Amino acid sequence: MKGELLVLTGMGLIFIGFMLIFIGTLMAASAEEADVEGGGVIMIGPIPIVFGTSRGATLAMVLAIFLMLLWIIGALLSRRV
């Protein structure tokens, strides 16, 4: 029962995330003047290649890489138990 609830909660959060991105895109498209920023992360094995057009986007990508590393460390530590 707990597993089913977790799966449904995860699917619901993913759906809410997609809806927020969709709504944000529509709101940005309806604005008369919009600043366009972009960025991305390419992972080649454990080596991240980060690029971006603004400081905020680059900072967010670095934070995402840091959280990914924390997740990997947590996964490795939980395997040893």
Side-chain angles (χ1 to χ4, degrees), residues 42-49 65 68-69 72:
I42 299 172
M43 296 294 292
I44 301 177
I47 302 168
I49 299 172
I65 292 170
M68 183 184 299
L69 289 174
I72 290 171

Side-chain angles (χ1 to χ4, degrees), residues 33-48:
E33 185 177 323
D35 294 331
V36 178
E37 297 178 355
V41 177
I42 299 172
M43 296 294 292
I44 301 177
I47 302 168

Side-chain angles (χ1 to χ4, degrees), residues 1 3-4 6-9 21 23-25 27-28 30-31 33 37 40 43 48 51 58 62 69 73 77:
M1 188 69 171
E4 293 174 4
L6 286 175
V7 169
L8 288 175
T9 303
I21 290 172
I23 291 169
T25 304
M27 289 175 64
S30 66
E33 185 177 323
E37 297 178 355
M43 296 294 292
F51 58 92
T58 306
V62 170
L69 289 174
I73 291 169
L77 290 176

